[in-house]
Amino acid sequence: MDSLKWWQKTLVYQIYPKSFCDSSGDGIGDLNGITEKLDYIRNLGVGAVWLTPVYVSPMVDNGYDIADYKNIAPEYGTMADMENLIVEAKKRGIRIVMDLVFNHTSDQHNWFKESRSDCKNSKRDWYIWCDAKPNGAPPTNWRGIFGGSAWTFDEATGQYYLHTFAKEQPDLNWENPEVRRILYDIANFWLDKGVGGFRIDAITYIKKPVVLKDLPIDGPDGMSNVHMATANQPGILEYLHEFKREVFAGKDIFTVAEANGVSAEELPRWVGKNGAFDMLLEFNHMNLDMEKASLWCRPAPWKLTKLKKALSDSQKATTENGWYPAFFENHDQPRSVNQFFPKNADKKLAAKVIATVLFTLKGTPFIYEGQELGMTNTKWSSIECYDDIASKGQYALALQEGFSKQQALEFVWKYSRDNARTPMQWTSAKNAGFTSGKPWLSLNENYNEVNAGWQMQDEDSVLRYYHRLAKVRQEYDILLKGSYEELLEADEQIYAYMRVMKEKKVIVLCNFSEKEKEYSLPKLSGNGKLLLGNYADAPNQILRAYEARVYLCEGRTTIEGCSK
Ligand code: GLC
């Protein structure tokens, strides 16, 4: 009997609607644009599409500031367009997954408007209000994730409210049962519309500490990252289990929660038999080039062994219990070919290396729009060209830290979330075929070379490599079910691992550097078959610059003497 669920066997494709496809010509992507591209998505082998928020929103954080959870943002379309998208996707075997932003709302949500109207309002307690320190300063020294204090003073009622993110994103008070009830109702409303699951935003922040107090200063602004104070607080899982009971339990959907700061050891409490979610987007393998305070201007050295260890720890933690959502990109991260490879790396080979890992780890691969084309970071000439609220906050912090404007801008080039938000590159036509109007955000200039239309024609393209990977993953059960074992652990150039199922092994070898490398895996002997690689041939025992290979070995076999 097949013990795997549909969402374990499929691929998830993440769409940032604002940047995906504009059907109306206003320069902003929309739901009908997504519907138009469903065949393209289906051809990738995708069974679920995660839409970042499409609800009514002032768009201070591009939809992560929700003003109405049960209606569609007019710039994206109507509820009828949404229902049509769900139906059209279903016809193609694709389920739509909604993003639930439940840590906070927009300050334009009616709940917050009521809450701030009067200390005695019945919704006052739906948010987190606090008196100033005796000297009038904010209640604690916490820095919000986008920079600046995590507290904003409200003149009308004379108290501060807490916001983990921007001041326009006040945090909800999950201690209040009415709040939890209304959030569960919203999730059920979307299930009734036929969605296939949820990605749940910033969930680690919903539970606040009992005592709100200052923490040691960790930045040039004299503040301390709010994350250190509020992430993953004791008791959080009780709420999440309630959420599961009231909404997800027993339904044929999947849940994947964004949980920055949950370590691999903690995973069994979050996912699997006794966990609250099916999968957890933890970030232990990301941001390895940054110190804890998450300041872009304080980078830490990146090493391949750090990445390998983080991935292996998460693989081990989810191999028996739970399931891993493999990802290397999303709308908050720079492009993977820039994040994981040296500056001058061959981008096409690099994109295939990261794709190889994405598809051969144990778990469900999450592909972020444009990743399948090997889209890259951008470099704009001034901070004014950027839309991303986090980029602006981090730029200001870098200046405070004493960096010049140019240096501060260079941090933005490296880490900006806009790197991932430039419009999707469909063709080499004007605006990459994304819009007939003026795009809301500049395109990456390389769209003439990097675009889906062109890559469909080119057998050697990154896109066609994704198609091949999807086929291989579907054909070989071992890639779904086999266990994971790391090889060559101390190697700083090669990431190697096996997937093992009974007598069979799949061996994955990826060279993350430009230097050729001889490898030896002494324990294995015999013959193997090359399933896939990003070079035309495969000489024995040598991996060339940014080379990736996937071998299938049956019985006591090795990768020596394999033929294509
Ligand atoms: C999550 C989202 C990010 C957003 C933040 C606040 O981290 O992925 O884009 O800015 O939550 O909602």
Side-chain angles (χ1 to χ4, degrees):
M1 207 185 77
D2 190 349
S3 53
L4 294 181
K5 306 240 170 59
W6 67 269
W7 48 268
Q8 295 176 302
K9 293 186 280 192
T10 196
L11 311 174
V12 178
Y13 190 76
Q14 184 196 344
I15 289 184
Y16 199 67
K18 203 168 178 182
S19 300
F20 191 63
C21 181
D22 171 21
S23 72
S24 67
D26 66 355
I28 297 175
D30 48 44
L31 294 177
N32 289 338
I34 298 171
T35 307
E36 274 175 27
K37 298 293 183 186
L38 284 172
D39 288 333
Y40 168 87
I41 298 167
R42 182 190 50 193
N43 286 341
L44 279 166
V46 165
V49 165
W50 150 26
L51 298 183
T52 64
V54 291
Y55 320 95
V56 173
S57 161
M59 300 280 168
V60 169
D61 189 19
N62 285 335
Y64 281 94
D65 46 325
I66 299 174
D68 180 352
Y69 289 89
K70 292 187 179 173
N71 275 302
I72 299 296
E75 50 273 64
Y76 291 158
T78 61
M79 188 57 90
D81 298 334
M82 184 70 212
E83 286 162 356
N84 181 49
L85 172 60
I86 295 171
V87 168
E88 287 300 317
K90 209 169 254 170
K91 281 186 197 160
R92 294 162 175 85
I94 299 170
R95 302 186 212 201
I96 300 295
V97 170
M98 299 297 272
D99 208 319
L100 296 180
V101 186
F102 281 179
N103 175 67
H104 47 268
T105 67
S106 160
D107 63 346
Q108 298 307 307
H109 197 295
N110 280 337
W111 303 339
F112 188 68
K113 287 186 184 164
E114 278 191 51
S115 183
R116 80 187 317 175
S117 66
D118 186 340
C119 289
K120 296 209 175 70
N121 185 278
S122 62
K123 292 203 170 51
R124 184 67 171 180
D125 185 47
W126 282 36
Y127 293 84
I128 297 163
W129 293 97
C130 218
D131 289 333
K133 281 183 178 164
N135 65 358
T140 66
N141 68 346
W142 303 342
R143 175 193 317 111
I145 286 179
F146 298 147
S149 173
W151 297 96
T152 289
F153 187 67
D154 190 57
E155 294 286 344
T157 53
Q159 281 192 310
Y160 281 88
Y161 64 89
L162 180 65
H163 47 88
T164 301
F165 296 90
K167 68 178 189 322
E168 295 85 355
Q169 294 168 297
D171 280 33
L172 284 162
N173 178 14
W174 272 67
E175 307 290 328
N176 185 321
E178 278 180 330
V179 169
R180 302 203 301 275
R181 164 66 30 223
I182 206 156
L183 295 176
Y184 304 156
D185 285 350
I186 289 164
N188 280 317
F189 167 86
W190 286 102
L191 285 179
D192 291 343
K193 294 251 173 235
V195 303
F198 297 112
R199 179 265 189 185
I200 301 135
D201 186 65
I203 203 68
T204 26
Y205 299 115
I206 60 165
K207 174 109 188 159
K208 313 302 182 221
V210 181
V211 182
L212 311 182
K213 56 172 197 243
D214 282 356
L215 288 184
I217 294 169
D218 64 12
D221 51 4
M223 292 192 242
S224 173
N225 188 348
V226 64
H227 177 92
M228 307 314 265
T230 62
N232 202 359
Q233 289 297 302
I236 185 171
L237 280 155
E238 284 158 36
Y239 290 153
L240 299 178
H241 278 290
E242 180 185 84
F243 193 2
K244 178 179 174 181
R245 267 197 318 275
E246 299 290 322
V247 181
F248 323 128
K251 311 228 165 88
D252 186 28
I253 60 159
F254 76 81
T255 54
V256 59
E258 185 198 33
N260 202 354
V262 171
S263 68
E265 300 90 73
E266 291 167 310
L267 274 173
R269 296 174 50 228
W270 287 79
V271 295
K273 255 204 197 118
N274 303 313
F277 300 110
D278 293 314
M279 297 179 271
L280 213 64
L281 296 163
E282 34 93 355
F283 292 78
N284 297 310
H285 64 301
M286 306 294 277
N287 310 330
L288 288 168
D289 56 354
M290 224 181 282
E291 283 180 3
K292 268 213 173 124
S294 298
L295 300 180
W296 296 357
C297 59
R298 292 196 191 159
W302 188 90
K303 286 204 301 192
L304 182 63
T305 42
K306 283 199 206 169
L307 174 70
K308 299 198 303 184
K309 179 167 187 318
L311 289 170
S312 293
D313 286 351
S314 299
Q315 286 281 289
K316 280 177 219 150
T318 50
T319 214
E320 297 298 329
N321 177 54
W323 193 252
Y324 187 64
F327 77 96
F328 294 101
E329 287 191 21
N330 63 33
H331 62 292
D332 295 329
Q333 296 288 332
R335 290 292 184 175
S336 56
V337 288
N338 297 93
Q339 179 163 188
F340 300 103
F341 300 89
K343 256 198 196 126
N344 301 324
D346 179 315
K347 300 283 183 288
K348 189 162 135 187
L349 287 174
K352 291 178 182 178
V353 168
I354 212 75
T356 306
V357 179
L358 181 69
F359 277 74
T360 57
L361 288 174
K362 185 169 186 188
T364 298
F366 278 59
I367 305 165
Y368 177 68
E369 65 180 42
Q371 182 179 357
E372 76 279 16
L373 307 176
M375 279 178 65
T376 62
N377 283 358
T378 48
K379 277 186 188 173
W380 292 328
S381 59
S382 106
I383 188 68
E384 274 74 53
C385 307
Y386 286 81
D387 167 81
D388 168 28
I389 189 167
S391 298
K392 294 179 202 275
Q394 291 279 354
Y395 179 83
L397 279 163
L399 295 181
Q400 262 182 302
E401 182 93 331
F403 287 101
S404 69
K405 284 186 176 171
Q406 178 59 26
Q407 287 167 322
L409 189 63
E410 284 171 20
F411 293 119
V412 171
W413 289 345
K414 186 157 182 213
Y415 295 112
S416 176
R417 306 193 299 176
D418 281 346
N419 283 314
R421 298 175 181 186
T422 58
M424 177 73 176
Q425 296 170 198
W426 293 107
T427 66
S428 49
K430 188 162 178 242
N431 295 327
F434 160 70
T435 180
S436 57
K438 184 176 176 318
W440 73 276
L441 189 68
S442 300
L443 282 110
N444 188 314
E445 280 163 13
N446 66 8
Y447 71 80
N448 269 322
E449 301 94 65
V450 180
N451 66 66
W454 167 238
Q455 292 200 15
M456 272 308 281
Q457 315 296 318
D458 174 11
E459 240 197 273
D460 188 41
S461 66
V462 178
L463 179 61
R464 296 289 287 273
Y465 191 76
Y466 268 78
H467 288 169
R468 282 161 65 202
L469 273 168
K471 218 166 139 231
V472 166
R473 184 170 179 272
Q474 225 176 24
E475 227 165 279
Y476 295 92
D477 231 23
I478 179 171
L479 285 174
L480 299 178
K481 297 182 183 157
S483 62
Y484 167 95
E485 247 175 72
E486 194 181 339
L487 304 165
L488 308 176
E489 278 161 42
D491 199 301
E492 283 297 351
Q493 263 180 262
I494 297 182
Y495 182 23
Y497 50 92
M498 297 195 289
R499 300 291 308 281
V500 182
M501 195 168 77
K502 295 185 189 137
E503 286 295 278
K504 279 192 197 158
K505 294 183 185 71
V506 160
I507 297 178
V508 181
L509 298 165
C510 290
N511 185 359
F512 273 69
S513 90
E514 64 172 353
K515 289 200 204 98
E516 202 169 273
K517 176 100 190 218
E518 230 176 284
Y519 58 86
S520 67
L521 295 168
K523 271 194 244 151
L524 307 157
S525 63
N527 277 317
K529 175 182 161 204
L530 185 68
L531 293 183
L532 193 99
N534 62 351
Y535 274 74
D537 57 355
N540 290 333
Q541 303 296 113
I542 301 243
L543 282 185
R544 288 156 292 186
Y546 311 111
E547 180 162 11
R549 292 187 200 164
V550 182
Y551 290 100
L552 176 69
C553 306
E554 308 206 43
R556 281 172 47 79
T557 52
T558 184
I559 48 180
E560 272 177 314
C562 37
S563 56
K564 201 167 174 172

